[in-house]
Amino acid sequence: MTDANIRIPEEAKDRLAAIAAAEGLSLRAYLARLAETLLTPAERVERAEEARVALKAWNGYAPTETEEQVLDSELDQRLARVTVL
């Protein structure tokens, strides 16, 4: 396994180190675990398509592109309200 050096603000490093320590992990182990659990944009697209196929097979749900855009917009608005609170 090779190591990599990354440059981030000191505050971000300290925050990540504190989170890692609270979980009983080194910063290195925490970042490795984090990298394993996050999805790449391509993986998110693939999972979304798999979900659409499963929903259509299960109950016939097949929103149009316009319906998806409306739902995405509504979700964005709800998330914006939550992050403001």
Side-chain angles (χ1 to χ4, degrees):
M1 174 182 343
T2 62
D3 285 335
N5 292 319
I6 57 172
R7 297 178 60 84
I8 62 172
E10 189 74 22
E11 298 83 22
K13 181 195 133 311
D14 292 344
R15 180 174 172 78
L16 289 169
I19 293 167
E23 295 189 24
L25 298 169
S26 68
L27 179 55
R28 179 183 179 159
Y30 179 77
L31 291 174
R33 186 182 75 182
L34 183 64
E36 292 172 5
T37 61
L38 296 176
L39 298 175
T40 65
E43 290 168 333
R44 285 195 300 273
V45 168
E46 182 180 344
R47 294 260 180 107
E49 183 56 31
E50 289 171 357
R52 276 192 284 278
V53 168
L55 283 170
K56 186 174 182 182
W58 177 56
N59 66 4
Y61 182 70
T64 65
E65 188 172 323
T66 301
E67 290 169 328
E68 284 184 20
Q69 290 172 352
V70 169
L71 292 169
D72 286 345
S73 176
E74 181 182 334
L75 179 59
D76 289 342
Q77 291 171 7
R78 289 179 184 215
L79 288 173
R81 283 195 304 262
V82 170
T83 56
V84 171
L85 298 177

